[in-house]
């Protein structure tokens, strides 16, 4: 019974915990709880991995050249299409 | 904050419509805005329309931009609105659907406890897995999806996300937690099956 209550409290604080913005005292309580609760350890690990995978795979998405070119034309910035290519390293991440 | 805003821009030049400065701004954020639109809409043509409309509206509004939020947060705000309007045009009934807000009062479900973190990176980010990631994010309601994209994909802070969406930080945190947990559940089912296959 006690374990269920702890798991519930843990769930509400989960985002702050994985973002590293939870207060020290609560953080310590959660880590103590996780030491005894394998399910919660798995939830934290898989949640961190979920966030990582979305960011990692999306960060490889860059604007296709044709889309960029049409964007510049639609904004009447045709003369900057080539010049912008020089900045490519700044916007590819 | 997202990585696209490492450059600094001259607000006075942008406000007077300096084309070179505007081109620099467009170049710096076009990938971020395109990615947001693509993840929201899952349709390249709609994403391109949102991208163009975002910058058209931004350029028109720049003379009145007061700088209360950063340029990037302001651009994300315009883009998020454009994307949400596109979704509402697709499904006009969504605005009146009681199920959307009901999502926020739902129990936070945790049903999957498979530890799939140990799968090889190649399996985690295979092209099939990436398609599944895209499919799973579309299962979130638009309200949860936009928060997840801004916070966890574009890496805006909670405060920036709340500014971009005109929501309180508490609402952003609530929606973010639900979005993250829902995606974790969906990914756990998907990768759990791969884990089972690996063991055979």
């Amino acid at each position: 019974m006690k374990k269920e209550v702890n798991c519930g409290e843990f769930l509400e604080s989960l985002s702050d915990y994985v973002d590293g913005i939870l207060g020290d005292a609560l953080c310590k309580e959660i880590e103590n709880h996780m030491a005894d609760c394998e399910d919660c350890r798995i939830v934290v690990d898989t949640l961190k991995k979920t966030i990582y995978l979305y960011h990692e795979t999306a960060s490889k998405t860059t604007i296709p050249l044709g889309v960029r070119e049409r964007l510049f034309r639609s904004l009447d910035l045709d003369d900057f299409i080539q010049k912008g290519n020089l900045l490519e390293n700044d916007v590819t991440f | 904050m997202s990585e696209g805003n490492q450059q600094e821009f001259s607000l006075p030049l942008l406000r007077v419509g300096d084309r070179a400065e505007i081109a620099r701004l467009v170049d710096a954020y076009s990938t971020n805005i395109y990615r947001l639109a693509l993840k929201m809409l899952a349709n390249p043509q709609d994403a391109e329309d949102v991208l163009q409309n975002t910058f058209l509206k931004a350029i028109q509004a720049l003379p009145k931009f007061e700088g209360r939020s950063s340029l990037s947060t302001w651009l994300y705000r315009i883009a998020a609105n454009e994307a949400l309007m596109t979704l509402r045009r697709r499904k006009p009934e969504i605005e009146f659907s009681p199920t959307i807000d009901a999502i926020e009062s739902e129990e936070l479900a945790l049903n999957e406890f498979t530890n799939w973190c140990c799968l090889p990176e190649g399996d985690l980010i295979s092209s099939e897995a990436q398609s599944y990631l895209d499919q799973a994010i579309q299962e979130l309601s638009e309200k949860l999806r936009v928060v997840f994209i801004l916070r966890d994909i574009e890496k805006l802070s909670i405060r920036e996300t709340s500014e971009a969406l005109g929501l309180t930080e508490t609402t952003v945190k609530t929606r973010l937690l639900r979005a993250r947990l829902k995606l974790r559940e969906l990914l756990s089912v998907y990768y759990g099956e791969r884990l089972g296959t690996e063991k055979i």
Side-chain angles (χ1 to χ4, degrees), chain A residues 46 54 70 76 79 91, chain B residues 19 27 35 48 133 184:
Chain A
T46 50
Y54 271 101
R70 288 190 292 279
D76 198 21
D79 43 331
V91 296
Chain B
R19 293 177 69 254
D27 231 0
R35 192 166 49 204
E48 187 170 345
L133 291 175
R184 191 205 72 88

Side-chain angles (χ1 to χ4, degrees), chain A residues 4 9 13 15-16 22-23 25-26 52-53 67 72 76-77 88:
Chain A
E4 282 179 12
E9 288 169 0
S13 310
S15 264
D16 284 352
L22 202 60
L26 199 46
Y52 164 81
L53 286 171
V67 174
F72 272 67
D76 198 21
L77 294 169
E88 200 167 45

Side-chain angles (χ1 to χ4, degrees), chain B residues 5-21:
Chain B
N5 70 341
Q6 300 302 316
Q7 303 170 55
E8 290 191 1
F9 298 93
S10 161
L11 276 183
L13 285 178
L14 290 172
R15 284 198 189 107
V16 297
D18 182 277
R19 293 177 69 254
E21 194 66 356

